[in-house]
């Protein structure tokens, strides 16, 4: 199936862990219900951070190492190519915390769940997140903010509010076509974006090997792997 994109279309893309699966990064809730061997409650919640910051940093240090070793796949490159064709009629929102979209060339891009390659103050004291690619061997190595708070991963933990929701809502309101790739439709508010797009009459396309939980909200479901299907999904006119 090919999706026509005309000169009056504005495209909003939402990606999830599935787009990075063919780059070798494990999806969240793989078959064992764990993310890279851990229960989300143990490594990706404010409570986990309060209880055991060493375990949280160990987990995210290993995610950093895996992301640094991974390479963008044809799906990441296809989205960068689509952006090159559409310019500011294209917007990409990712739930992923890896930087494979940037490394493929995407520029109009927002990480709603944060970024592996940054850290920020645990006290939310107002300092901006800092670039940080360090793979920490122990908690003693982790630096502190000027206010004295410990640095934590710049990751939106489960239970925290995603980043830049106002901007996301504005971009969805302008879109005539929404493409959602490789997300199970189980994490909110991202799983609601398709409903917001439908309200303004946009066509909504899902791409992944199996239908997501919110499949009934899409106007088209394209079943397959992102790296195989995305490079030939759109027909520009
Ligand atoms: P999810 O694991 O819940 O869902 C992954 C989806 O990807 C599944 O529906 C699966 O069918 C699909 N999929 C698997 N292989 C695919 C392929 N080759 N092509 C296309 N789709 C494929 O992930 P989610 O919905 O993104 O939610 C999980 C949360 O976990 C996100 O918020 C994200 O922040 C985080 N996470 C991020 C990464 C990353 O940055 N790479 C990795 C794991 C989890």
């Amino acid at each position: 199936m090919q999706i026509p994109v005309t000169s009056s279309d504005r495209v909003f893309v939402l990606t999830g862990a599935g787009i990075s699966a063919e780059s070798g990064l494990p999806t969240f809730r793989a078959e064992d219900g764990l993310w890279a061997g851990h229960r989300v409650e143990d490594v990706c919640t404010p409570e986990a951070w309060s209880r055991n910051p060493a375990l949280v940093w160990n987990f995210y240090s290993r995610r950093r190492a895996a992301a640094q070793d991974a390479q963008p796949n044809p799906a990441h490159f296809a989205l960068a190519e689509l952006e090159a064709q559409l310019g500011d009629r294209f917007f990409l929102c990712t739930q992923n915390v890896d930087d494979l979209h940037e490394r493929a060339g995407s520029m109009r891009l927002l990480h709603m769940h944060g970024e592996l390659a940054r850290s920020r103050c645990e006290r939310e004291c107002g300092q901006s997140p800092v670039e940080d690619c360090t793979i920490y061997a122990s908690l003693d190595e982790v630096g502190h903010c000027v206010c004295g708070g410990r640095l934590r991963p710049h990751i939106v933990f489960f239970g925290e509010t995603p980043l830049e929701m106002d901007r996301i809502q504005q971009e969805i309101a302008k879109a005539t076509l929404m493409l959602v790739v490789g997300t199970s439709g189980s994490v909110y508010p991202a799983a609601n974006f398709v409903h917001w797009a439908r309200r303004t009459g946009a066509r909504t396309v899902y791409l992944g090997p199996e239908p997501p939980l919110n499949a009934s909200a899409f106007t088209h479901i394209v079943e397959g792997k992102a790296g195989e299907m995305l490079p030939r999904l759109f027909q520009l006119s």
Side-chain angles (χ1 to χ4, degrees):
M1 180 203 277
Q2 280 207 306
I3 308 290
V5 180
T6 70
S7 58
S8 56
D9 274 322
R10 298 188 71 99
V11 179
F12 181 102
V13 181
L14 172 68
T15 62
I19 199 168
S20 295
E22 288 159 85
S23 296
L25 298 180
T27 60
F28 164 74
R29 293 200 209 288
E31 282 165 20
D32 54 6
L34 302 174
W35 182 4
H38 287 270
R39 293 188 324 145
V40 161
E41 299 79 6
D42 294 336
V43 290
C44 194
T45 60
E47 295 74 24
W49 175 254
S50 306
R51 199 169 48 234
N52 194 344
L55 177 65
V56 174
W57 261 125
N58 176 284
F59 176 77
Y60 280 104
S61 289
R62 284 183 290 120
R63 302 279 70 70
R64 279 181 178 176
Q68 286 167 17
D69 285 347
Q71 298 301 327
N73 68 55
H76 296 104
F77 286 113
L79 290 178
E81 176 62 25
L82 185 63
E83 177 181 346
Q85 305 271 343
L86 299 182
D88 63 8
R89 293 187 291 118
F90 175 94
F91 189 79
L92 172 57
C93 174
T94 185
Q95 298 170 86
N96 293 348
V97 294
D98 66 55
D99 62 352
L100 296 179
H101 284 303
E102 289 91 328
R103 282 161 54 199
S106 289
M107 289 181 291
R108 293 168 179 86
L109 161 74
L110 186 157
H111 284 271
M112 66 179 289
H113 290 161
E115 292 170 75
L116 278 173
R118 289 171 176 236
S119 299
R120 70 167 189 265
C121 178
E122 64 176 346
R123 293 182 184 161
E124 311 290 350
C125 69
Q127 293 289 324
S128 299
V130 292
E131 302 288 324
D132 182 7
C133 298
T134 313
I135 294 155
Y136 294 110
S138 83
L139 194 60
D140 297 338
E141 295 176 7
V142 177
H144 289 75
C145 176
V146 287
C147 79
R150 181 180 276 136
L151 290 181
R152 59 166 267 184
H154 182 47
I155 298 288
V156 177
F157 292 147
F158 284 85
E160 296 180 329
T161 306
L163 307 173
E164 301 203 51
M165 285 306 299
D166 289 348
R167 171 105 190 268
I168 291 170
Q169 280 175 326
Q170 286 164 12
E171 293 292 342
I172 292 175
K174 289 190 288 190
T176 58
L177 173 60
M178 174 180 277
L179 169 68
V180 178
V181 185
T183 172
S184 55
S186 59
V187 176
Y188 286 83
N192 267 335
F193 291 179
V194 62
H195 298 284
W196 301 350
R198 287 298 291 276
R199 262 188 239 142
T200 53
R203 289 173 290 153
T204 52
V205 181
Y206 179 80
L207 169 60
E210 65 211 354
L213 292 177
N214 54 357
S216 61
F218 288 89
T219 51
H220 299 82
I221 300 277
V222 181
E223 286 195 28
K225 291 185 174 182
E228 292 170 9
M229 308 295 280
L230 198 42
R232 51 195 166 88
L233 187 62
F234 293 108
Q235 190 175 44
L236 270 62
S237 61

